[in-house]
Amino acid sequence: MSDSATGAGNGGATAAADETGVAGGLTGTAGLAADAGDGTRAVRAGLPEPVKHEPTLPGPVFAAHFHLPGDPTGPYTYGRDENPTWTLLERAVGELEAPGRDDAETLVFASGMAAISAVLFSQLRTGDVCVLPDDGYQALPLVRAQLEAYGIEVRTAPTGGDAQLDVLDGARLLWIETPSNPGLDVCDIRRLADAAHARGALVAVDNTLATPLGQRPLELGADFAVASGTKQLTGHGDVLLGYVVGRDPEAMAAVRRWRKIVGAIPGPMEAWLAHRSIATLQMRVDRQSATALAVATALRERPEVAGLRYPGLPDDPSHAIAARQMRRFGCVVSFTLPTRAHADRFLDALRLVDDATSFGGVRSTAERRGRWGGDAVPEGFIRLSVGAEDPEDLVADVLRALDESAA
């Protein structure tokens, strides 16, 4: 086991390049201008300097330990602390979430929940107050129970209307999820962050639904951007991953220490697959966002559809705020059909949409969200994740399924 408590930051990997097999070192992304567009940034993010006869993206480094004569110094000592494949991925994510920032650090985790837990449990102590959304991801009630078991007071409020402002006094940490999952409400990140900081609280934003191409929480004042890379970031439904990007060295050292203590680390293959997938992020996000808007627009005309939400719709309750802070509106559309049976018939009738949980993949998925419990949604509530199919085909499939399920 390494004696290092925190390990090295994202930029300190050069010394170990030869002995870990990452040719050419890990010093910077080749040729990436500070004002590069999203597509260019996604394709180039995290790549090492090019070396003749070597792959542009080095393969995964499978190592539990590294050659380490003498004192335990340098970036790579033991596989639970650091890995060259993580380093490249962490740089890539950081270049998307915080382009041009030298004060941001990125850490990758085994899952989105591992990343969420790392921030909450590394920053909070007995007697602290934490503010969570009451309409966020369904695992948050489990997190709340554990926080309260440790003597941490948890307050909740809805995402919409910036309602968390009302319960901020005395808080140590504010947790924001915008857009919220699955209801797709949006809150004003900058307004909430300014208010939280004025009260001495840290701010973490779950950026899973938006992705860093949809919004950049650190630019809007947050201290942490946290996400499940399992979803649209990697986009293929074959990787579990999470990440934390933060701008305070002391706070991120605590997050890193938590990762080391609990061992919530991604495998090298998962990290490599995630980095490979990021190259197509801009193409996927643009296609999926445009198609999601087309689907949502078509659903507006259906009398059996209630509670339709998509932040990109001009008449969505959250559109005005979303348009100010988001550059893309995401791939998820939510709506409610009259009954549970109606929703089940609709899902059974879909041909181009898999009945599956999660979201953000290149293949469209949908589910009746209430089947899991834990979400305050009607029995007929549908969360539809729009994939990369041709928009006309997907819209036609959804409308046909609605017609067939009406009986």
Side-chain angles (χ1 to χ4, degrees):
M1 181 181 295
S2 168
D3 292 331
S4 171
T6 59
N10 294 347
T14 309
D18 292 340
E19 62 189 53
T20 57
V22 180
L26 303 174
T27 55
T29 296
L32 188 62
D35 60 351
D38 286 341
T40 302
R41 189 171 296 282
V43 168
R44 306 294 303 179
L47 298 183
E49 295 294 335
V51 175
K52 188 175 182 178
H53 306 309
E54 295 293 337
T56 53
L57 177 61
V61 175
F62 298 101
H65 57 264
F66 303 87
H67 289 299
L68 192 65
D71 293 333
T73 59
Y76 303 117
T77 57
Y78 185 64
R80 192 180 63 250
D81 296 337
E82 288 290 347
N83 178 288
T85 311
W86 305 350
T87 302
L88 294 175
L89 174 61
E90 287 169 344
R91 183 178 302 130
V93 171
E95 288 167 1
L96 297 176
E97 283 280 5
R101 294 190 71 126
D102 294 330
D103 61 344
E105 180 182 0
T106 303
L107 296 170
V108 291
F109 290 81
S111 69
M113 281 307 303
I116 289 170
S117 299
V119 172
L120 290 171
F121 292 104
S122 70
Q123 304 303 311
L124 296 168
R125 301 290 183 271
T126 299
D128 284 344
V129 174
C130 176
V131 176
L132 300 178
D134 64 10
D135 54 350
Y137 181 52
Q138 66 168 6
L140 287 182
L142 300 176
V143 174
R144 175 179 184 169
Q146 193 62 56
L147 289 169
E148 290 175 338
Y150 290 153
I152 296 163
E153 179 185 345
V154 178
R155 303 172 187 162
T156 63
T159 298
D162 297 342
Q164 289 172 299
L165 285 171
D166 297 333
V167 292
L168 270 179
D169 285 350
R172 164 65 180 162
L173 189 145
L174 167 64
W175 190 273
I176 297 170
E177 186 178 300
T178 181
S180 61
N181 174 27
L184 302 182
D185 265 325
V186 173
C187 61
D188 188 328
I189 296 174
R190 188 175 296 282
R191 182 187 182 201
L192 284 165
D194 288 348
H197 290 154
R199 292 163 170 82
L202 295 168
V203 178
V205 176
D206 187 327
N207 206 31
T208 303
L209 264 163
T211 82
L213 297 194
Q215 68 191 9
R216 295 179 183 140
L218 297 190
E219 292 182 356
L220 296 168
D223 300 289
F224 303 98
V226 187
S228 169
T230 307
K231 312 299 194 297
Q232 197 171 18
L233 185 84
T234 55
H236 292 80
D238 55 7
V239 170
L240 287 172
L241 192 87
Y243 67 80
V244 178
V245 185
R247 54 182 182 166
D248 180 80
E250 184 176 350
M252 286 303 292
V255 175
R256 182 184 289 274
R257 190 162 50 249
W258 179 267
R259 183 179 71 173
K260 177 185 177 73
I261 291 169
V262 301
I265 58 173
M269 191 65 192
E270 287 77 9
W272 184 86
L273 287 169
H275 196 170
R276 175 215 58 178
S277 299
I278 286 174
T280 62
L281 179 61
Q282 184 258 353
M283 291 183 285
R284 290 186 282 106
V285 168
D286 280 353
R287 175 64 169 262
Q288 289 169 271
S289 297
T291 305
L293 180 59
V295 170
T297 300
L299 288 171
R300 291 169 66 189
E301 308 303 318
R302 300 294 301 210
E304 70 270 47
V305 170
L308 174 66
R309 297 300 303 269
Y310 182 67
L313 285 172
D315 58 351
D316 185 271
S318 292
H319 180 72
I321 295 174
R324 289 200 302 269
Q325 69 188 20
M326 298 182 72
R327 296 176 296 133
R328 296 168 176 87
F329 297 111
C331 64
V332 177
V333 178
S334 68
F335 57 96
T336 300
L337 294 175
T339 65
R340 173 176 177 168
H342 194 153
D344 287 338
R345 291 196 303 272
F346 167 72
L347 294 170
D348 288 342
L350 291 166
R351 296 172 185 166
L352 298 180
V353 182
D354 295 331
D355 194 342
T357 194
S358 197
F359 57 86
V362 291
R363 288 172 288 280
S364 293
T365 61
E367 69 173 335
R368 190 180 63 79
R369 190 63 184 164
R371 65 180 177 171
W372 297 100
D375 290 314
V377 296
E379 287 284 0
F381 182 94
I382 300 291
R383 186 181 70 182
L384 172 63
S385 172
V386 172
E389 298 88 358
D390 287 319
E392 299 82 4
D393 293 337
L394 189 59
V395 169
D397 189 48
V398 169
L399 296 181
R400 180 197 51 74
L402 285 172
D403 289 339
E404 292 184 8
S405 64

